[in-house]
Amino acid sequence: MTKLKEKLLEKIESWRPRTTKLIKEQGDTKIGDITIAQTIGGMRGVKCLITDISYLDPIEGIRFRGYTIPEVLEKLPKPPGAETPYVEGFVYLLLTGDIPTENEANEIADEFKKRKEVPKYVFDVLNALPADSHPMAMFSSAILSMQKESEFVKSYHSGIGKMDYWNPTYEDSLNLLAKLPEIGAYIYRKKYRNNDIIPPDPNLDFGGNFAHMMGIDKPYDDLSRLYFILHSDHESGNVSAHTGHLVASALSDVYYAISAMINGLAGPLHGLANEMVLRWIQEVMGKMGGKTPNKEEMKKFVWDTLNSGQVIPGYGHAVLRKTDPRYEAQRDFCLKHLPDDPIFEYVSILYDVVPDILAEHGKAKNPWPNVDAQSGVIQWYYGIKEYDFYTVLFGIGRAIGVLCNIIWDRALGYPIERPKSLTTDMLEKIASGK
Ligand code: AMX
């Protein structure tokens, strides 16, 4: 057993009595009421999920295992000469709740290196798909094609006990995660760089190797690490995290669960919003003939979009009620590395005008920018102009959080999800007090 796995087992064994005690002794304690508006309205705010990996405060934003984004970026070990931390060390933090030492981060980096070879048939599957397939459909298919590799399925069929489910799930999770950068980069280079594939470099870390396989120079490796960490987890209720958890709750293995979570992420109200932001900005740029709009001109574009019944992509959030700290972390990166970029200027002007307009418009509960308002601009700057691809980057990051959650779901024996639905008739009867 590796040191990480030993430590994880120790953590799991000391955590289990807390869960058992809560169910046994406090199982009937109420934590909230549910209204008709919440039932019809996508369960907004209903407290019915549990995770210890991250928590999203509406004002403060995300904390990973109790740490804010600036704390994570400061405390985690970084590869030599790098600005941003090892993704591998971040995985260690999400799994164990502890900040790893340099050695511990390196050990998990070695684990990833051992597991990262992508089976040849995955490339055959990708090559067999229609050339105009969306990169998210390709990514999801590639992940699903590896389902037959599942260690969990083998162990389940051989009669493994419930308390041990987490162990083969951990194996599957690390096996899958280690392969995602190469699959993502392959999709990009196949689709947008004439199939000119760059083989992985066995000496590089998760983010560094991804940048290398994308064929993009420094500091894109720093950006990749930052991007994957920022997009990893946003507690459990968002569509991708919830889908991953839901599918895995049926004891479907992580290949099924992560393929499904990628499909949820591909929606324009969720992960695809980063693509929509760039599309929207490019449209405005086209109308402006390349010139940067002043604030009054930009206000008009924003109002035109709202008046045509569309949302302003990259703004608003189901939980957050202030500027997303993931937006701020990426903005800091832009201010350091691309302060004069014209698209970054657009993004900055939008930040100046959109919140007031959305407040005046009066619909969105949160007029502030979310993670997606800022992420496409950086990718564009480093040469990834095919915005169809942006959500694949989000998907690589999100897989980190969802997989860590699924390992813990299994460790704590969380059951299959099965909420209850009512009919409209029943809601009308409840409302009228009958
Ligand atoms: N522009 C215009 N209208 C908006 C808006 C925006 N950016 N954000 C919310 N609204 C509207 C909603 O469409 C809704 O209108 P309706 O009553 O006519 O249906 C109303 O305001 C109330 O919505 P809400 O409670 O504030 O938000 P929500 O929880 O229903 O939805 C979200 C949240 C993110 C889907 C929504 O803000 C949105 O569509 N934003 C634009 C797309 C986007 O940026 N998505 C990415 C989110 C982050 C992520 O998951 N990657």
Side-chain angles (χ1 to χ4, degrees):
M1 209 186 257
T2 62
K3 283 190 194 144
L4 168 62
K5 216 164 162 182
E6 270 171 26
K7 179 159 196 176
L8 190 53
L9 178 58
E10 218 176 274
K11 297 264 173 187
I12 289 169
E13 283 177 340
S14 66
W15 204 283
R16 279 178 177 154
R18 295 175 66 185
T19 308
T20 312
K21 186 166 186 242
L22 273 173
I23 302 174
K24 243 183 160 173
E25 295 175 15
Q26 301 292 335
D28 292 330
T29 303
K30 284 199 177 170
I31 53 171
D33 296 313
I34 301 170
T35 64
I36 288 179
Q38 288 174 310
T39 301
I40 298 175
M43 298 184 278
R44 217 52 105 259
V46 175
K47 297 185 185 90
C48 59
L49 293 165
I50 177 162
T51 174
D52 298 293
I53 307 281
S54 70
Y55 180 74
L56 178 58
D57 180 87
I59 304 300
E60 188 189 56
I62 193 72
R63 275 183 187 261
F64 300 114
R65 288 287 188 178
Y67 295 101
T68 62
I69 287 172
E71 285 166 350
V72 164
L73 297 180
E74 193 226 303
K75 288 180 190 297
L76 285 177
K78 301 179 177 78
E83 252 178 54
T84 53
Y86 280 110
V87 170
E88 293 89 334
F90 181 68
V91 173
Y92 186 102
L93 169 66
L94 293 192
L95 279 176
T96 64
D98 296 340
I99 299 280
T101 61
E102 181 93 36
N103 266 352
E104 286 167 332
N106 276 325
E107 274 169 27
I108 179 161
D110 288 343
E111 273 295 300
F112 274 54
K113 282 175 191 165
K114 276 188 238 150
R115 298 164 187 258
K116 74 182 169 46
E117 192 175 331
V118 178
K120 184 185 165 294
Y121 65 77
V122 174
F123 304 120
D124 295 340
V125 166
L126 290 172
N127 294 334
L129 290 170
D132 58 353
S133 298
H134 193 282
M136 284 297 270
M138 297 172 80
F139 196 39
S140 174
S141 308
I143 292 168
L144 191 59
S145 73
M146 291 186 285
Q147 188 278 331
K148 72 188 190 71
E149 310 293 339
S150 174
E151 294 295 325
F152 175 77
V153 171
K154 283 179 215 151
S155 302
Y156 188 79
H157 288 314
S158 69
I160 187 179
K162 191 175 171 187
M163 287 296 103
D164 295 325
Y165 284 173
W166 71 272
N167 193 337
T169 302
Y170 167 98
E171 296 298 330
D172 279 351
S173 298
L174 262 59
N175 285 342
L176 174 58
L177 203 48
K179 295 174 179 60
L180 295 183
E182 184 171 350
I183 295 173
Y186 183 90
I187 291 171
Y188 183 75
R189 303 283 306 183
K190 171 184 161 52
K191 202 169 159 67
Y192 305 113
R193 292 292 180 272
N194 285 327
N195 215 10
D196 179 11
I197 308 300
I198 303 173
D201 179 338
N203 299 314
L204 292 173
D205 65 289
F206 192 95
N209 202 15
F210 178 72
H212 159 77
M213 291 182 284
M214 290 293 286
I216 307 175
D217 291 337
K218 280 181 180 300
Y220 192 72
D221 56 340
D222 275 319
L223 175 65
S224 300
R225 285 186 282 267
L226 176 71
Y227 197 97
F228 297 145
I229 289 172
L230 293 182
H231 288 78
S232 61
D233 207 36
H234 222 217
E235 67 169 46
S236 286
N238 64 79
V239 168
S240 50
H242 190 196
T243 306
H245 166 78
L246 173 65
V247 173
S249 84
L251 294 187
S252 298
D253 60 66
V254 302
Y255 297 92
Y256 282 125
I258 297 300
S259 173
M261 86 89 184
I262 292 291
N263 300 342
L265 191 65
L269 295 185
H270 192 18
L272 210 76
N274 54 21
E275 169 178 337
M276 295 299 160
V277 172
L278 251 275
R279 272 185 204 281
W280 190 87
I281 290 178
Q282 298 286 327
E283 204 183 295
V284 177
M285 282 182 121
K287 286 183 188 157
M288 288 298 297
K291 177 171 115 16
T292 309
N294 60 34
K295 283 191 188 170
E296 288 314 307
E297 287 166 326
M298 189 63 105
K299 281 182 189 171
K300 185 176 174 318
F301 285 118
V302 173
W303 274 115
D304 286 350
T305 300
L306 288 172
N307 291 336
S308 70
Q310 290 168 266
V311 295
I312 305 299
Y315 281 76
H317 200 272
V319 178
L320 274 170
R321 294 295 176 257
K322 70 157 241 187
T323 299
D324 191 332
R326 300 171 300 172
Y327 174 96
E328 283 167 347
Q330 293 184 95
R331 183 173 163 80
D332 289 346
F333 189 93
C334 288
L335 287 168
K336 181 160 183 204
H337 293 285
L338 47 138
D340 302 322
D341 177 67
I343 304 185
F344 178 53
E345 247 181 280
Y346 266 68
V347 170
S348 298
I349 299 172
L350 280 171
Y351 192 26
D352 289 340
V353 304
V354 173
D356 284 347
I357 295 178
L358 283 181
E360 188 182 335
H361 185 241
K363 272 187 161 186
K365 294 190 189 70
N366 175 38
W368 300 103
N370 59 57
V371 65
D372 294 312
Q374 187 66 253
S375 47
V377 55
I378 320 185
Q379 300 299 333
W380 182 276
Y381 180 82
Y382 288 106
I384 305 184
K385 304 201 166 170
E386 302 81 6
Y387 26 73
D388 271 7
F389 185 72
Y390 295 167
T391 316
V392 173
L393 300 170
F394 195 153
I396 297 174
R398 183 49 54 92
I400 297 170
V402 175
L403 286 167
C404 292
N405 270 287
I406 294 174
I407 294 168
W408 272 93
D409 290 349
R410 297 272 195 267
L412 299 177
Y414 292 156
I416 186 167
E417 248 195 49
R418 192 14 175 133
K420 179 86 186 86
S421 54
L422 300 175
T423 64
T424 305
D425 218 24
M426 288 170 181
L427 290 184
E428 283 166 350
K429 281 194 182 125
I430 294 170
S432 66
K434 283 182 197 158

